[in-house]
Amino acid sequence: MQTYEKYFGKKPRGIWLPECGYIPEADKYLKEFGIQYIITESHGLLYADPTPVYGTYAPIVSPNDIVAFGRDIESSRQVWSSINGYPGDYNYREFYRDIGYDADYEYIKPYIAHNGVRVHTGIKYYRITGDTENKDYYNPTWAMDSVEKQAGHFFDSRQKQITNLAPHMHIPPIILCPYDAELYGHWWYEGPDWLYILFKKIYYDKCDFKLITPGEYIDKYPEIQVSTPCRSSWGANGYSEVWLNTTNDYVHRHLHVAGDKMVELANLFPNEKSKLKKLALNQCARELLLAQSSDWLFIITNGTMVDYAKKRIKDHIGRFTKLYDMLKENNLDEEFLKDISKKDKIFPDIDYMIYY
């Protein structure tokens, strides 16, 4: 909430929760921080209690007054599907072929990591081509042809979808299309062009629907069915097993202990005046949040770079615990604090008192 307000100059009305995960117990915290609506995975709405009359095509409101919108299945599949989603088009730039790995080592050495490890440079000469190691060179004209076609396909699909739904609803249907920002321009290099062309088509072409935000939709159509969203996430199989299974369950006891200790510190040192102690307390909050990152458990479950993920968890919990002990013993090691503050300097405006 604070980060959003810092960059946008106002509080957000709604969010999607981490990994689009929802549990009914979250409502009280969402209300505490002024969140009016959330975005859930499709089955968070489809399996809500009672069953929503309009499925994911209209929001529901929980008994605790949190409005929930469900991710549209069809539009998500068209973009996200690993089998037939737009980003997999053979004409698009191949993310995984980069001269940091392709070029002769002696040639590329001055331009990669200072220790000589090959890394992505962002310079990628190949297109996806197909399910083959022999990639063809990237052709920007062909890529833009695919962008144009797929923006048109998405536009036509939404037009058809909305036209078919509208006669069966007493309010206009909403098609909710949430995507990770990192898809556009990072994994899908042409993604920003696709968005630009799609929005131009919606503006200039004959169009029976309008772009709208969830907040605007709530303001326009405030009559909303009361229903409790189902526990859900957009992780594999739709619930929590990606982040809690036999490969990674050992981590949670450490996260819970550190979480309790962080609350303890905030209550032991409320509104601390010592600059050094305050730096240490804020660094504790950073280390805890970094340890809690859902990415580490995801990596362990998927079996990719497992040692790295385990090391990150161990490092952050270790640093947190060492700082905790130092604060409790009133014996801060300034050099240690300076070192880890340099390594882990995310969330520059964090205030440990959020745990008070």
Side-chain angles (χ1 to χ4, degrees):
M1 293 284 286
Q2 291 168 350
T3 301
Y4 184 98
E5 191 170 6
K6 175 184 176 181
Y7 290 107
F8 290 93
K10 60 180 181 180
K11 294 183 185 298
R13 294 182 63 182
I15 57 173
W16 71 53
L17 293 164
E19 306 292 0
C20 224
Y22 174 79
I23 55 172
E25 292 85 346
D27 281 7
K28 66 178 180 179
Y29 303 108
L30 295 165
K31 286 209 47 109
E32 179 185 343
F33 288 97
I35 293 291
Q36 295 176 23
Y37 70 83
I38 59 168
I39 294 168
T40 73
E41 182 51 286
S42 313
H43 59 281
L45 247 70
L46 296 176
Y47 297 159
D49 183 24
T51 303
V53 175
Y54 296 134
T56 60
Y57 304 119
I60 58 174
V61 61
S62 76
N64 296 314
D65 204 31
I66 297 294
V67 177
F69 291 83
R71 183 163 73 141
D72 176 58
I73 295 172
E74 185 182 332
S75 59
S76 294
R77 187 184 296 120
Q78 286 170 345
V79 175
W80 265 126
S81 171
S82 60
I83 299 167
N84 50 22
Y86 301 143
D89 188 289
Y90 290 173
N91 288 329
Y92 288 153
R93 195 179 78 162
E94 173 60 78
F95 175 83
Y96 294 101
R97 290 291 296 272
D98 186 290
I99 65 166
Y101 295 90
D102 285 346
D104 177 75
Y105 183 72
E106 290 305 318
Y107 168 79
I108 202 67
K109 188 177 179 181
Y111 309 103
I112 51 178
H114 63 84
N115 60 357
V117 174
R118 288 180 179 268
V119 294
H120 282 273
T121 66
I123 301 173
K124 306 171 193 291
Y125 290 131
Y126 296 99
R127 62 189 182 94
I128 293 172
T129 308
D131 188 16
T132 173
E133 287 298 310
N134 300 316
K135 304 293 185 181
D136 294 332
Y137 286 119
Y138 180 68
N139 186 315
T141 303
W142 294 359
M144 287 307 297
D145 285 345
S146 290
V147 167
E148 294 271 1
K149 289 174 187 172
Q150 288 162 3
H153 178 262
F154 193 88
F155 176 92
D156 293 340
S157 298
R158 300 292 73 74
Q159 183 97 325
K160 182 179 177 183
Q161 187 180 19
I162 291 164
T163 300
N164 289 340
L165 286 167
H168 306 289
M169 297 177 63
H170 79 283
I171 54 172
I174 182 167
I175 309 299
L176 199 86
C177 308
Y179 307 106
D180 282 354
E182 67 178 355
L183 174 66
Y184 294 94
H186 179 66
W187 297 112
W188 183 15
Y189 180 65
E190 299 79 8
D193 294 310
W194 179 84
L195 274 178
Y196 177 67
I197 292 168
L198 173 64
F199 277 46
K200 277 183 70 175
K201 286 183 74 67
I202 292 169
Y203 184 82
Y204 287 109
D205 291 9
K206 183 181 180 300
C207 182
D208 294 332
F209 64 87
K210 290 182 178 179
L211 297 171
I212 195 168
T213 67
E216 290 168 341
Y217 190 90
I218 293 168
D219 293 342
K220 215 169 181 181
Y221 309 104
E223 279 189 44
I224 303 173
Q225 179 183 349
V226 178
S227 179
T228 302
C230 171
R231 294 168 184 269
S232 52
S233 85
W234 63 15
N237 300 322
Y239 297 97
S240 303
E241 65 186 84
V242 171
W243 303 282
L244 180 59
N245 57 65
T246 54
T247 69
N248 60 27
D249 55 4
Y250 75 93
V251 175
H252 288 272
R253 66 176 178 270
H254 300 293
L255 297 179
H256 281 294
V257 168
D260 289 342
K261 285 181 175 178
M262 189 67 238
V263 173
E264 179 192 347
L265 287 175
N267 282 272
L268 276 173
F269 303 98
N271 299 307
E272 179 60 48
K273 296 294 186 282
S274 161
K275 187 176 179 183
L276 184 63
K277 282 185 180 177
K278 191 172 182 180
L279 284 172
L281 289 160
N282 285 337
Q283 192 61 36
C284 279
R286 284 192 189 92
E287 300 296 345
L288 175 60
L289 286 175
L290 285 165
Q292 291 172 328
S293 170
S294 63
D295 287 347
W296 314 137
L297 302 176
F298 176 89
I299 290 169
I300 293 170
T301 297
N302 284 358
T304 58
M305 299 178 69
V306 172
D307 290 342
Y308 173 75
K310 288 181 175 180
K311 184 179 185 302
R312 287 297 298 267
I313 295 166
K314 189 175 180 181
D315 285 350
H316 295 307
I317 291 293
R319 292 167 192 166
F320 171 88
T321 305
K322 187 169 181 177
L323 277 179
Y324 168 85
D325 290 340
M326 288 177 177
L327 283 159
K328 290 289 294 285
E329 295 163 9
N330 196 25
N331 184 28
L332 279 172
D333 182 337
E334 289 190 50
E335 283 303 311
F336 172 73
L337 177 57
K338 185 178 177 182
D339 179 55
I340 64 170
S341 297
K342 190 176 178 182
K343 289 174 180 172
D344 301 329
K345 54 185 178 182
I346 195 170
F347 312 125
D349 301 317
I350 198 166
D351 183 354
Y352 73 95
M353 285 299 291
I354 57 176
Y355 292 96
Y356 183 69

